[in-house]
Amino acid sequence: MKPVIYLVIPCYQEEEVLPETSKRVLDKLTRMIKSGLIDDQSRIVFVDDGSKDRTWALIESYHVQDPHFGGLKLTHNKGHQNALLAGLLTVRDRCDAAISMDADLQDDIEVLDDFVKAYLNGAEIVYGVRKARNTDTAFKRGTAHAFYRVMEKMGVQTVYDHADYRLMGSRSLEGLA
């Protein structure tokens, strides 16, 4: 049985990037469906985190054009992590697994097949870990790695450079509630 996968993408003031993001992510989802890797009931869910630009209007238009698109609109800006959580909690009963990713496509969507294959082989959580942070400034790279070191010293198990790009299976999604 092919899994139903939902891509959850938080958005805040993403009017400029959404046309390209929606095109690329729909193309990837369609290829995964056609290859038989995932079910046609799989979806792309944009979570509008109270944007003041045309982000929500774009999300609505994508849904009208293709039912693989869905959206969730927060009344005002709650922050990236809250928008992500709202999206994951909304989809958890509709899918076998959810993949969270950023709207700016800073992560390689071509590895989504690998996420799903790992899930099909029994992985409940699959992290997308960056091979390099070449596009980040030296300051951002330094502060990110300092954050991971501090968290480890506090006893928190972390995965370096994983950001919000991950797959969570249904058991993990249930644990969010």
Side-chain angles (χ1 to χ4, degrees):
M1 189 165 107
K2 296 178 273 190
V4 173
I5 303 293
Y6 272 48
L7 303 176
V8 177
I9 306 173
C11 303
Y12 181 70
Q13 311 287 68
E14 303 289 356
E15 175 182 2
E16 302 231 353
V17 300
L18 269 186
E20 187 64 23
T21 298
S22 63
K23 182 178 88 176
R24 288 189 192 181
V25 175
L26 180 60
D27 174 66
K28 182 59 182 170
L29 187 81
T30 301
R31 287 186 281 135
M32 293 170 68
I33 292 167
K34 286 183 178 176
S35 75
L37 185 61
I38 63 175
D39 193 275
D40 186 51
Q41 295 302 307
S42 298
R43 298 286 181 263
I44 300 161
V45 178
F46 291 114
V47 181
D48 183 355
D49 188 17
S51 298
K52 305 267 188 251
D53 64 2
R54 291 185 17 82
T55 296
W56 182 248
L58 289 170
I59 293 168
E60 287 180 311
S61 72
Y62 300 146
H63 175 70
V64 168
Q65 294 168 21
D66 191 308
H68 287 104
F69 286 110
L72 173 65
K73 182 170 179 49
L74 304 183
T75 55
H76 46 277
N77 185 259
K78 298 287 190 180
H80 181 84
Q81 294 301 318
N82 287 321
L84 177 58
L85 181 60
L88 293 172
L89 290 173
T90 298
V91 307
R92 70 180 176 182
D93 294 329
R94 301 172 185 180
C95 62
D96 298 306
I99 298 173
S100 59
M101 58 190 299
D102 289 336
D104 62 6
L105 293 181
Q106 65 182 335
D107 298 302
D108 181 9
I109 63 172
E110 293 306 318
V111 301
L112 291 175
D113 300 77
D114 296 332
F115 280 28
V116 174
K117 288 174 185 172
Y119 169 75
L120 291 171
N121 285 324
E124 183 63 21
I125 297 176
V126 180
Y127 290 105
V129 179
R130 293 181 188 168
K131 291 181 182 174
R133 296 184 74 110
N134 299 336
T135 59
D136 291 351
T137 64
F139 177 76
K140 184 169 181 174
R141 276 192 308 274
T143 56
H145 287 152
F147 167 80
Y148 290 120
R149 286 192 299 276
V150 168
M151 294 302 284
E152 279 184 349
K153 288 191 185 300
M154 293 173 53
V156 177
Q157 292 181 345
T158 62
V159 177
Y160 274 62
D161 295 331
H162 80 276
D164 292 321
Y165 195 35
R166 73 177 64 90
L167 175 145
M168 295 178 70
S170 58
R171 288 192 329 264
S172 298
L173 291 170
E174 268 312 304
L176 294 175

